[in-house]
Amino acid sequence: MTALSKLQSISHPIFKKHHISVAIKRDDQINNIISGNKWRKLKHNLRHAKAATAKGIITFGGCFSNHIHAAAFACYQQNLPIIGIIRGEVSNQDNYTLAWAKHWGMQLNFVDRKTYRLRNDESYLQQLQQQYPDHIIVPEGGSNTLALAGVAEIIDELNQQTEFDTLITPVGSGGTLAGLILGDKAQHQLIGISVLKQQGYLESQVEELLPAEAKKLNNWSIMNQYHCGGYAKFSQQDAEKVREFSQVTGIDFEPVYSGKMILALLELIESGYFQPQHRIILLHTGGIQGLAGMFERGILNEDEWPTLPLPPMSK
Ligand SMILES: Cc1ncc(COP(=O)(O)O)c(C=O)c1O
């Protein structure tokens, strides 16, 4: 098996001080649009849709969603129609994420928060299925059983690339961590860094995604103290630390997903959580396109952050 992404060793004064080795699995480099975990999660979903000769895909996301952006492009490439059920107002349709999604042919159906909350509700999904027969519904974040199979392949690649003790990933909807658990079969310690403020439901969400035989595995945990105030929230100081880390390592990160993993890593190492000689792998899940929404809303300064994978769409 040839690895889809490379493994890159990184150095940082804090790693050196604590005698920890860190390498990063560059899934962000698999494709600059279908970046990071999106590629892994969509791969078998789209294959399944093609094999089933589905009329199209229906999926869900917010106005700045990495999943929406990636799924729109992946379906465009595969010549598969796609409908995005988008949480938010139509007035957002020209933002970077959605303008590109629309450009690639995604049909954008905007819904209010109340309706969006029904995204996993059986009767709402049945209703959607009736409205769009022969379409395949892929949940928010692309996290379903088929996604797990794609993510699990990361572990096979890693086992060929190196030996390690701990693998760390950011956690949003849980599909990535669940796929890693499935692929890992309890060989390593797996740590998920929750990027949102939650009280324990992410753990059960991950468990629910796992097949019965993997539910009893206990080599994984989710750390809930590194969300920096909640989903897509962070202080300027947090953002600055992420930027500094990018400068030291020469790797682009953003503060919504991978950046929170970096902040967690630094704190864990500094607090002595890992024994000297511990070997850590970070999964780079991509997400650079998400910076666009931060620039558009003036939350981050475009001149200080990585260049977006594509220029803004002209209206
Ligand atoms: C860039 C990025 N990293 C990490 C995640 C978290 O992955 P998951 O939703 O599978 O937990 C997401 C969301 O899907 C994401 O967009």
Side-chain angles (χ1 to χ4, degrees):
M1 172 199 259
T2 12
L4 259 184
S5 68
K6 72 174 183 196
L7 186 67
Q8 181 179 348
S9 291
I10 50 177
S11 46
H12 189 283
I14 289 176
F15 306 163
K16 204 167 168 194
K17 181 171 152 209
H18 292 266
H19 306 283
I20 304 290
S21 76
V22 181
I24 181 150
K25 178 77 170 151
R26 298 296 307 270
D27 268 18
D28 56 312
Q29 291 182 329
I30 298 176
N31 181 294
N32 68 344
I33 298 168
I34 315 166
S35 96
N37 57 350
K38 302 297 169 274
W39 180 284
R40 307 279 187 180
K41 292 201 278 186
L42 287 168
K43 177 180 162 186
H44 294 290
N45 271 297
L46 299 198
R47 273 192 195 169
H48 168 64
K50 281 295 228 188
T53 57
K55 273 201 184 140
I57 301 269
I58 304 173
T59 196
F60 305 83
C63 289
F64 307 101
S65 162
N66 294 319
H67 167 65
I68 288 293
H69 188 76
F73 185 67
C75 284
Y76 165 74
Q77 277 192 322
Q78 298 286 323
N79 209 12
L80 252 175
I82 179 163
I83 299 165
I85 311 287
I86 311 294
R87 181 189 53 219
E89 305 286 331
V90 187
S91 56
N92 288 299
Q93 65 178 333
D94 293 322
N95 79 19
Y96 178 94
T97 305
L98 298 181
W100 276 107
K102 209 166 41 153
H103 173 78
W104 293 317
M106 180 182 264
Q107 177 185 322
L108 303 175
N109 289 7
F110 289 88
V111 297
D112 58 24
R113 282 174 184 275
K114 199 167 150 215
T115 311
Y116 193 83
R117 256 182 247 126
L118 298 172
R119 65 194 178 279
N120 298 318
D121 178 270
E122 269 309 313
S123 58
Y124 174 67
L125 294 177
Q126 266 172 23
Q127 214 178 299
L128 267 180
Q129 199 71 81
Q130 275 165 13
Q131 199 180 343
Y132 301 104
D134 303 320
H135 280 64
I136 286 181
I137 298 179
V138 175
E140 180 184 60
S143 290
N144 58 9
T145 311
L146 288 170
L148 266 53
V151 174
E153 292 165 10
I154 296 173
I155 302 286
D156 300 333
E157 289 183 21
L158 281 173
N159 279 336
Q160 286 178 12
Q161 290 170 314
T162 192
E163 287 182 5
F164 64 101
D165 302 302
T166 297
L167 173 59
I168 310 183
T169 183
V171 181
S173 61
T176 305
L177 180 59
L180 295 173
I181 297 167
L182 188 65
D184 192 66
K185 299 182 192 75
Q187 299 170 78
H188 307 98
Q189 178 187 18
L190 307 174
I191 300 178
I193 305 298
S194 172
V195 302
L196 33 103
K197 211 194 269 183
Q198 56 110 16
Q199 265 125 25
Y201 71 86
L202 263 183
E203 285 81 355
S204 34
Q205 207 162 294
V206 169
E207 252 174 58
E208 259 171 47
L209 282 164
L210 290 169
E213 73 276 11
K215 283 194 202 293
K216 47 187 183 302
L217 297 173
N218 59 5
N219 61 316
W220 63 276
S221 60
I222 298 181
M223 295 193 173
N224 290 306
Q225 64 275 44
Y226 299 106
H227 55 71
C228 304
Y231 181 67
K233 300 224 167 86
F234 49 83
S235 66
Q236 285 300 328
Q237 206 183 359
D238 296 329
E240 197 46 42
K241 274 197 206 156
V242 173
R243 226 162 58 81
E244 260 171 40
F245 190 83
S246 285
Q247 271 159 7
V248 173
T249 57
I251 299 174
D252 290 344
F253 296 99
E254 46 67 50
V256 177
Y257 288 100
S258 57
K260 289 187 182 174
M261 169 175 70
I262 297 304
L263 297 177
L265 173 80
L266 294 174
E267 249 183 78
L268 288 169
I269 294 181
E270 289 259 65
S271 71
Y273 181 87
F274 299 109
Q275 294 294 313
Q277 316 310 331
H278 205 80
R279 298 161 301 179
I280 299 171
I281 306 284
L282 304 173
L283 178 64
H284 198 320
T285 51
I288 297 299
Q289 81 81 33
L291 284 168
M294 302 283 165
F295 302 154
E296 285 167 349
R297 289 171 291 165
I299 297 167
L300 295 176
N301 178 353
E302 191 162 1
D303 300 332
E304 296 172 350
W305 289 86
T307 314
L308 297 172
L310 295 164
M313 269 287 295
S314 49
K315 288 176 201 166

